[in-house]
Amino acid sequence: MKRLLTVLLAAFMVLSLAACSDNGDSKGSAAEGKNTGEKKTIRGGIGLNDSHPQYLGLLKFKEIVEEKTNGDITVETYHSGQLGDDRTMTEALQLGSQEVTIPSTAPLANFVPEFSVFDFPFLFPSEEVADKVLDGEVGQKFLDKLDSQNLVGLAYWENGFRDVTNSKHAIATAADFKGLKLRTMENDLHLEAFRALGANPTPMAFTELFTAMQQKTVDGQENPLATIYLQKYYEVQSHVSNTHHIYSPFVFLMSKSFFDGLTEEQQKIVKDAAIEAGVYQRQLNREANEKYLTDLQEAGITYTEVTPEAREEMVKLVQPAIEKYTEKIGKETVQEVFDAIEAASK
Ligand code: TK8
C-alpha cells in the first residue's frame, strides 16, 4: 500500500512538472505565441476628458483588444488626469504600474530628447503630411528610440494644430504676445519659442491648467480647438487666434514590461488596435477641430484670424530656437525629418 502511494505520488509529481513547463514560464511560451489563458488588464490613462476624441479613441482601442483577445485582455480606461499627467503617467509605464498612456510629443521629449523635433514651430504644413511622415519610416524610427526608456511606442494619434487663447486681448501679430503670461507644456523648446515671440511662458502640467487660468496665475495657453472647447476654456478665456504654431502628435505608449509579457499574437493585436483606433481618433479629431470654432464663438470667445504675413513674422522670430534645438538633437536626425516632410508634401 505504502509503495503504491509512493508510486502514485511520484507519477503525480512528474505530470504536474510537465504541465508547469507549458504555462508557468509565460515569457517563453508567450514568445512562442501560445495563449497562456492568463487574464491580463491594461490600465489606460489620459489627461483629456471623456468627451475628447482622444478618449473616444481609447474606448475604440478597448473594444478591439477585448474582442480580438476574447476577453483575455481587458482594458480599463481613465480620463481627465485620474491617473496623473502626461509625464507622471509615462513614468508609471516605465515602472510597470500602469500599462498605457497617450502623451503629447512635447513632454515625451523629456524622456527621449529627439522627439522635440516634432514640436518645432511651423514644422508640418498639414495634417495629411504629418500622417505620412509619422506613419512612415521616420516616424517608426522615433518610436523605436522609446525602447531604451522601457517604453513601447505603438502608434501616433493626433492632438492637432495648436492655437493660442488668452483672457487679455486679441493676438493678431507677434507684438501682441508681449508680456502675456502663457502656460506651455513641459518642454524647453516651447519655452524658448514663446520667449522669442515676446511672451512670458511658464511650463505646467495639463492637469493644473484650468485652475491656473481661473485664478489668473496665467493669462493664456495654447491647444487645439477641440481641447479648448471640450475642456471648457471659454469659461476662463476671452480670445483665440489661429496661430497654428505647432502640430502636436500624440504617441500611443505601452509599458515595455507589460508588452514583453504578452504572447506574440497578443502583441500584434495591441499594436494593430492602437493603429486602427488611431485612424479613427484622427478622423474624429479633425471633425471636432472644424466644428468647435463656431461653438467657441457662440460660447463668447472672440476669434482672431492671423494673416500669412503675421505668421511669417512669427516663423522668423522662432528660427533661433529651432537652430539651437537642431544642434541639440543632431543635424542629421532633424534633416531626415525635413526631407520626409518635403517628400510627403509633393
Ligand atoms: C493632455 C495633454 C494635452 C496637451 C497639453 O494630457 O498638455 O496642453 O496638449 O493634450 O497631452
Side-chain angles (χ1 to χ4, degrees), residues 46-48 54 85-86 89 102-104 107 159 162 183 185 204-206 209 221-224 227 248 250:
I46 64 166
L48 293 158
Q54 191 191 39
D85 58 63
D86 285 1
M89 287 193 278
I102 318 170
S104 299
N159 194 348
R162 305 177 77 86
R183 174 266 178 182
M185 288 187 279
M204 187 185 289
F206 183 75
L209 177 51
Q221 62 87 49
E222 37 85 57
N223 253 294
T227 298
S248 246
F250 282 136

Side-chain angles (χ1 to χ4, degrees), residues 84-94 101 103 107-108 110-111 186 205 208:
D85 58 63
D86 285 1
R87 192 166 46 74
T88 55
M89 287 193 278
T90 304
E91 287 162 356
L93 264 63
Q94 292 181 304
T101 192
L108 194 54
N110 296 305
F111 298 84
E186 295 163 300
E208 298 160 28

Side-chain angles (χ1 to χ4, degrees), residues 217-235:
T217 319
V218 294
D219 302 321
Q221 62 87 49
E222 37 85 57
N223 253 294
L225 293 176
T227 298
I228 296 168
Y229 183 78
L230 292 168
Q231 302 286 143
K232 300 188 178 355
Y233 290 174
Y234 48 82
E235 291 177 357

Side-chain angles (χ1 to χ4, degrees), residues 288-301:
N289 280 326
E290 221 161 280
K291 172 178 169 350
Y292 289 130
L293 179 54
T294 328
D295 295 11
L296 276 169
Q297 290 169 294
E298 278 162 15
I301 280 215

